[in-house]
Amino acid sequence: MATRISASVRPYTLTERDRHLVTRFSFGVDEQLTAAVRAVGGAERWFATQLTPTSVADPSATVHTWWPRLGHTPARAWAEVKSGRSGAWQYGFDLAQYSMVQKILTRRQLQEVLHDVWSNLLYVPVGHDRSFPWRFHYDQTLRGLALTSYRQLLRAAVVHPAMSGWLNNDLNTKRGINENLGRELLELYTVGRASGYTEDDVKDSARLLTGHKVKVFDTFAASYAPEDHWTGRVRVLGFTHANAAADGRPALAAYLDHLALHPATAERVARRLCVRLVGDDPSPSLVRSVTAAYRSSRSDVRATLKALRTHPEFLAARRRTLRAPVEDVVASVRALGIRPVRFRGTDAFPANLVWAAGRLGQEPYGWPRPDGYPEGSTTWASPSRMLGAWNQHYSLAGRWNSADGQAFPAPASVLPTAFPRTLAEIVDHQSLLLVGRPADATTQAAVATMLNRASGSVYKTVADVSGWHLTLIRGTVLNTPEGMLR
């Protein structure tokens, strides 16, 4: 059972400004995060610390070991699948579970948010039969580079064996050009179609990518093969290179740097960050400011985030975007004080989290196309998603998911220690804990109606607050706009 963090009578909260900053750069504000922000003197200082993830002690560093398959080498993973002992989908499901738990437990929340942004942009699905043995390594690679520069991210992602397998670059040689990765590199990961690249540009883009090998469906070993590299002058959107050496890696690195620093890439990456971290329709002024920071810093993520965070539009965007399903599930678990723990069975709490997100329309990294999940919140604002989320909040609040793999706070630890208390006071207490502000009149009325009990009615002792009452109170608070918006 979790121990009480907040004061016994009135839970700790953050100022509206601090809560906004922390909400946008985390997967949800919980008591632990609130305490951490207060301990360092406010959200600005917390943010500054988060920019250097290695300076933040993180108890989630070994969480991936809960799923032994994630520790398999690519050759071992392929052997397991080839023998029928495991399926590629199981490697993907393990990674999806790990992803949910990591988002909940890590104290390096800024790094995790940016990792999610880059994972959706430089997208490789989990569990795909051409990339599954390398997908966890890809995940860790992007996490490690999440706060460096887009230039470094692009270099690491495009030549990674997971990306090569997913987009067929293993079939791309000087004897037969496969354009798949070369085309997506231009269309999705960098300049975009509006930049006006041609089919000749796509061909040269693919030619530069020849030589990077991965033995798909045969050990999945990765290597560089100079004998497969296409040589000859290439030209792509202002980039030109003799590309005369058998080892084409220096030419490819120069090409990727050119694309990462291209003005069209800067604008596309800046806009994507603005949509995710500010709002669905960022103003031209905001996008220009963030783009300028990206270009002047040569794609430095920290400098780009600083321009975004200090823009007036960011500060004015409090509680205006709807959380995506994965974020909704994670933020609800964090707010409720539930902590995933090591489990025994196969349908334990982490698996329930993946299924919960899937029921709301977003399986973790389960998008079938190479363009990744949409970042805009309107995508997720359907009636079915809203109804599903409301039911999910009650389910989490009532501990109706598998008990295996979760530590749930004791009811008394989330209630005031001093009784008697009115229903209205208890609702206020839960609202402060879960969404950081007192309950408004609408929320108070909704809870009273659900419990068929007057707001002024009194609970004499903590034992009078039944599990059912607490479930309805907490679920209703999470179902308010304050509980579902960033």
Side-chain angles (χ1 to χ4, degrees), residues 128-199:
H128 192 273
D129 58 358
R130 300 190 98 258
S131 58
F132 76 92
W134 284 100
R135 187 56 180 82
F136 176 64
H137 187 274
Y138 185 72
D139 183 83
Q140 299 296 80
T141 299
L142 295 190
R143 182 170 288 104
L145 296 173
L147 288 165
T148 57
S149 70
Y150 192 65
R151 186 170 59 89
Q152 289 175 266
L153 282 155
L154 192 67
R155 277 193 179 200
V158 169
V159 301
H160 195 280
M163 181 70 82
S164 288
W166 158 236
L167 291 180
N168 309 108
N169 201 52
D170 59 303
L171 306 176
N172 183 29
T173 73
K174 66 181 182 183
R175 294 173 295 280
I177 297 297
N178 185 302
E179 299 177 2
N180 200 6
L181 179 55
R183 185 182 301 278
E184 302 300 10
L185 171 59
L186 292 167
E187 179 178 336
L188 299 178
Y189 309 147
T190 57
V191 294
R193 280 178 290 183
S195 64
Y197 62 80
T198 67
E199 180 60 21

Side-chain angles (χ1 to χ4, degrees), residues 13-95:
T13 57
L14 302 174
T15 65
E16 282 288 306
R17 183 186 178 98
D18 277 3
R19 187 173 178 95
H20 172 60
L21 191 152
V22 175
T23 298
R24 292 301 173 97
F25 292 111
S26 75
F27 275 95
V29 180
D30 61 2
E31 280 195 281
Q32 194 173 68
L33 181 50
T34 298
V37 172
R38 289 165 56 96
V40 298
E44 294 288 345
R45 291 183 179 178
W46 172 83
F47 183 86
T49 303
Q50 290 282 310
L51 288 173
T52 308
T54 52
S55 70
V56 180
D58 192 9
S60 73
T62 60
V63 162
H64 63 276
T65 62
W66 296 1
W67 294 272
R69 273 188 287 257
L70 296 182
H72 289 177
T73 63
R76 168 78 184 278
W78 171 239
E80 292 288 319
V81 169
K82 191 175 179 181
S83 68
R85 290 189 292 272
S86 293
W89 70 269
Q90 288 173 299
Y91 284 87
F93 191 59
D94 286 354
L95 183 49

Side-chain angles (χ1 to χ4, degrees), residues 34 59 118 121 158 323 325 338 350 375 442 486:
T34 298
W118 305 133
L121 174 55
V158 169
R323 290 190 175 105
I338 305 169
E375 291 289 6
T442 302
R486 293 182 184 130

